[in-house]
């Protein structure tokens, strides 16, 4: 079964962004842009032709999507085999045809990168380009900044091969890779982007003003916040769709639970680099790392020298100083200073009574 992967388009409510892009484009002579675009197209075609590097359209509902057809594969290695064996040179020759300079952007799988001519193993995309140009006299242009984000899938864990940060979503890894390929820089927050279109879209988030929700009285300081509010509160948006049965979910973790229970698909676990624990989401891994390995303790007790990772932990600690007992058992009316102590009390002494009720 194959599934088409959605392509990003400018919607009617993003006309300002489109106008901005058009204005920015006019700053550079069209002849210069045309020459640079030709170089980018030539480079990616030569890379695909003379190596086993393979492009990725996106990470869809089923898996990594082919750039030349609608197939998707949960394992990127299967996409690589499909792309190399299933599509001929004539099909690949038209890759990125029709893309303009400001939207030119390629996601490239360079796992186990090999030169197809001499079968030499090469560790980076940049080294491959230099190798093809200098060793095999291929038409590679090294006088431009690549609009390519390279990825390596060397284990079940999604990892940046440059700085070794780990992620549990391809989208998060892709966004992270822009920190290493900073062709265009946001002057407000110093965020980097591989092409100018992504920078211009990002800039919209910095524009401040007064934006009122037309369906309630809430007011926001950016258009982006107002649109997120409308989608979540008023539209009943269910943005996370299952790629197997098309059921939709409001939150991504609900979709992941559905995938595991209904379709038996479990996302890649994140292994802590400092200990043996594994985590289902990047958020829980980050919390673990900050708490137990970085020893972050920003909540300080005002009555002693102890400090804590979370406000809840500080509040539990303050019971020692205040003696407050605000958690009461509804069965025997005994009071406790901490919720977890009350829960333990209910489990040990009243579990049978609660089941009967």
């Amino acid at each position: 079964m194959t599934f088409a992967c959605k392509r990003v388009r400018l919607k009617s409510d993003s006309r300002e962004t489109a106008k901005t892009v058009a204005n920015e484009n006019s700053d550079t002579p069209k002849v210069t842009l045309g020459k640079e675009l030709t170089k980018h197209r030539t480079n990616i075609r030569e890379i695909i032709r003379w190596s086993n590097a393979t492009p990725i359209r996106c990470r869809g509902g089923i898996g990594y999507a082919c750039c030349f057809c609608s197939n998707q594969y949960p394992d990127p290695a299967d996409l690589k085999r499909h792309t190399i064996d299933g599509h001929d040179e004539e099909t690949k020759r038209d890759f990125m045809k029709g893309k303009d300079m400001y939207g030119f952007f390629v996601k490239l799988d360079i796992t186990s990168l090999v030169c197809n001519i001499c079968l030499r193993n090469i560790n980076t995309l940049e080294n491959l380009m230099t190798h093809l140009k200098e060793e095999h006299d291929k038409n590679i242009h090294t006088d431009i900044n690549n609009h390519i984000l390279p990825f390596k899938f060397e284990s079940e864990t999604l990892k940046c091969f440059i700085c070794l940060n780990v992620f549990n979503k391809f989208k998060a890894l892709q966004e992270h890779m822009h920190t290493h390929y900073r062709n265009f820089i946001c002057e407000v927050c110093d965020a980097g982007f591989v092409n100018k279109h992504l920078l211009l879209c990002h800039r919209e988030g910095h524009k401040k003003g007064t934006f009122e929700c037309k369906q309630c009285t809430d007011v926001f300081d950016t258009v982006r916040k107002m649109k997120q509010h409308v989608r979540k509160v008023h539209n009943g948006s269910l943005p996370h769709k299952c790629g197997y049965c098309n059921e939709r979910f409001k939150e991504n973790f609900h979709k992941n639970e559905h995938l595991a229970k209904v379709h038996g698909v479990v996302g890649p676990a994140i292994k802590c680099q400092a200990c043996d624990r594994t985590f289902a989401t990047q958020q829980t891994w980050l919390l673990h790392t900050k708490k137990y390995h970085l020893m972050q303790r920003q909540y300080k007790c005002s009555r002693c020298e102890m400090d804590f990772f979370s406000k809840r932990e500080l509040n539990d600690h303050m019971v020692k100083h205040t003696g407050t007992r605000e958690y009461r058992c509804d069965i025997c009316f005994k009071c406790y200073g901490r919720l977890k102590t009350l829960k333990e009390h209910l489990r040990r002494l009243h579990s049978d009574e609660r089941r009967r009720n």
Side-chain angles (χ1 to χ4, degrees):
M1 183 179 296
T2 61
F3 294 82
C5 187
K6 290 184 179 178
R7 298 189 180 214
V8 178
R9 294 184 176 90
L10 287 172
K11 298 182 180 179
S12 58
D13 60 358
S14 300
R15 288 173 184 165
E16 286 301 316
T17 303
K19 290 178 182 177
T20 304
V21 172
N23 292 335
E24 294 275 354
N25 288 357
S26 64
D27 294 341
T28 307
K30 290 183 178 179
V31 174
T32 302
L33 290 177
K35 289 181 178 178
E36 184 175 347
L37 178 59
T38 299
K39 291 180 179 181
H40 281 289
R41 287 176 176 168
T42 301
N43 279 357
I44 191 61
R45 289 169 188 162
E46 292 287 274
I47 289 168
I48 293 174
R49 181 180 182 185
W50 302 114
S51 78
N52 65 340
T54 52
I56 302 169
R57 185 190 301 173
C58 67
R59 179 66 168 81
I62 298 296
Y64 298 91
C66 177
C67 287
F68 307 105
C69 66
S70 60
N71 285 15
Q72 293 186 28
Y73 300 89
D75 188 340
D78 292 333
L79 172 61
K80 180 181 282 288
R81 282 190 290 270
H82 160 80
T83 305
I84 293 173
D85 299 335
H87 295 288
D88 55 26
E89 280 194 25
E90 185 176 352
T91 301
K92 296 173 185 176
R93 197 177 299 125
D94 290 333
F95 182 55
M96 299 304 289
K97 185 177 181 179
K99 295 291 183 182
D100 60 33
M101 185 61 247
Y102 287 86
F104 196 96
F105 168 38
V106 178
K107 296 179 282 290
L108 200 65
D109 179 359
I110 62 166
T111 310
S112 303
L113 191 60
V114 173
C115 170
N116 288 342
I117 303 170
C118 64
L119 302 182
R120 180 182 298 181
N121 294 317
I122 301 175
N123 61 340
T124 69
L125 174 65
E126 291 75 18
N127 287 346
L128 171 69
M129 295 175 69
T130 302
H131 171 80
L132 290 175
K133 181 180 179 68
E134 296 181 356
E135 299 295 327
H136 303 297
D137 197 28
K138 297 305 177 184
N139 189 18
I140 296 290
H141 302 278
T142 56
D143 59 335
I144 55 175
N145 291 326
N146 282 328
H147 285 202
I148 302 172
L149 291 186
F151 300 90
K152 288 186 179 182
F153 304 96
E154 296 175 325
S155 66
E156 292 185 0
T157 302
L158 284 174
K159 183 184 297 186
C160 170
F161 71 92
I162 298 174
C163 67
L164 304 184
N165 275 326
V166 295
F167 304 87
N168 72 324
K169 290 183 185 177
F170 181 68
K171 181 181 178 181
L173 173 58
Q174 177 182 316
E175 291 174 351
H176 163 80
M177 291 303 295
H178 288 279
T179 64
H180 298 297
Y181 291 84
R182 294 162 53 84
N183 296 335
F184 299 90
I185 310 298
C186 174
E187 63 277 11
V188 178
C189 66
D190 197 46
F193 300 90
V194 74
N195 69 16
K196 198 161 190 177
H197 174 72
L198 293 171
L199 170 63
L200 297 177
C201 291
H202 165 82
R203 279 181 184 171
E204 293 297 302
H206 289 305
K207 291 183 178 179
K208 298 290 185 178
T210 301
F211 305 95
E212 300 180 1
C213 175
K214 296 180 181 180
Q215 301 182 53
C216 69
T217 58
D218 286 357
V219 179
F220 303 89
D221 60 353
T222 68
V223 173
R224 185 173 296 170
K225 290 179 183 177
M226 188 266 289
K227 289 178 179 178
Q228 289 175 345
H229 160 79
V230 171
R231 283 197 301 269
K232 289 185 176 181
V233 177
H234 300 299
N235 289 354
S237 175
L238 299 174
H240 304 285
K241 185 176 74 170
C242 172
Y244 293 88
C245 65
N246 293 331
E247 188 173 345
R248 305 188 75 95
F249 303 88
K250 187 172 183 179
E251 302 292 345
N252 188 61
F253 74 89
H254 288 147
K255 185 189 80 170
N256 291 337
E257 289 178 348
H258 163 83
L259 286 170
K261 292 178 181 178
V262 178
H263 303 292
V265 177
V266 180
I270 296 179
K271 186 180 184 303
C272 178
Q273 303 299 300
C275 66
D276 293 331
R277 291 193 60 183
T278 57
F279 301 88
T281 68
Q282 186 179 2
Q283 183 180 9
T284 55
W285 167 69
L286 286 173
L287 288 173
H288 163 81
T289 302
K290 290 176 181 178
K291 182 176 181 179
Y292 295 105
H293 300 303
L294 299 179
M295 302 298 290
Q296 292 186 5
R297 301 287 188 271
Q298 63 179 355
Y299 295 95
K300 301 184 181 299
C301 177
S302 58
R303 300 196 183 186
C304 68
E305 296 182 353
M306 295 190 68
D307 46 29
F308 302 90
F309 176 73
S310 68
K311 190 173 183 180
R312 180 187 60 78
E313 291 174 326
L314 174 61
N315 290 338
D316 285 347
H317 164 78
M318 290 303 295
V319 173
K320 293 181 179 180
H321 298 298
T322 63
T324 303
R325 296 176 177 272
E326 60 182 57
Y327 298 101
R328 189 182 72 167
C329 174
D330 292 333
I331 298 174
C332 68
F333 306 112
K334 192 171 182 178
C335 295
Y336 295 91
R338 301 178 181 86
L339 178 60
K340 66 178 181 180
T341 311
L342 171 60
K343 289 181 176 179
E344 179 63 18
H345 163 82
L346 290 169
R347 186 187 67 79
R348 288 191 298 106
L349 300 181
H350 301 302
S351 57
D352 291 340
E353 295 177 53
R354 295 174 77 189
R355 278 195 292 268
R356 286 197 295 270
N357 292 335

